[in-house]
């Protein structure tokens, strides 16, 4: 899902409560009948859109899509761009750390200075995935 809005000028301009609420709303639409562990994710793009995603599980467990996968699909489907702020939540609406694979997904589509709301507070992409492999390695 994607909505339009005013592009924040800096991380201080990010309404983290609203972004967390968007992640929690998305979590409510998760398809997680196997783990019963719904996850929701929300992010702001550089041009002010809010994109969201939720986990989508599968009877073939390994095929499961994390909430971040859905979010990145929503990002691309709604016009692409880069992520400035991100949060994901568990089934209680509590902030959750993105799994390692999904940190890689977020890294690919980060804006400079992408900030994540984490269990340790605000962290940069570089703090949650230091020395990352990325597109620049393939250039
Ligand atoms: N999950 C996510 O959606 N994102 C994460 O970053 C962590 C894990 C989902 C995958 C699976 O559907 C459920 O949480 C339990 O692992």
């Amino acid at each position: 899902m994607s909505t339009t809005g005013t592009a924040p000028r800096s991380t201080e301009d990010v309404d983290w409560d609203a972004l967390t609420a968007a992640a929690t709303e998305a979590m409510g639409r998760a398809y997680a009948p196997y783990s019963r562990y719904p996850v929701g994710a929300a992010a702001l793009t550089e041009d002010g859109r809010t994109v969201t995603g939720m986990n989508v599980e599968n009877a073939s467990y390994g095929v499961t899509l994390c909430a971040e996968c859905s979010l990145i699909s929503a990002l691309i489907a709604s016009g692409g761009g880069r992520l400035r702020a991100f949060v994901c939540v568990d089934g209680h609406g509590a902030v959750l750390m993105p799994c390692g694979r999904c940190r890689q997904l977020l890294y690919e589509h980060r804006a400079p200075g992408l900030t994540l709301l984490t269990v340790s507070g605000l962290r940069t992409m570089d703090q949650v995935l230091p020395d990352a492999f990325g597109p620049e390695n393939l250039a």
Side-chain angles (χ1 to χ4, degrees), residues 1 5 13-14 34 36 41 43 66 76 78 96 109 112 117 121 126 131:
M1 194 189 117
D13 295 329
V14 174
Y34 305 109
R36 296 194 174 89
C66 280
I76 302 302
S78 63
L96 183 71
H109 301 281
L117 179 56
D126 289 338
D131 301 325

Side-chain angles (χ1 to χ4, degrees), residues 32 35 37 39 55 57 64-68 88 96-99 102:
S35 71
Y37 193 88
V39 177
N55 53 338
E57 297 186 344
T64 287
L65 303 175
C66 280
E68 296 88 333
C88 63
L96 183 71
M97 292 305 290
C99 75
C102 289

Side-chain angles (χ1 to χ4, degrees), residues 5-32:
T6 305
R9 292 182 302 280
S10 72
T11 303
E12 290 74 43
D13 295 329
V14 174
D15 184 341
W16 290 103
D17 287 342
L19 202 60
T20 303
T24 302
E25 195 267 340
M27 177 275 295
R29 285 178 279 117
Y31 177 74

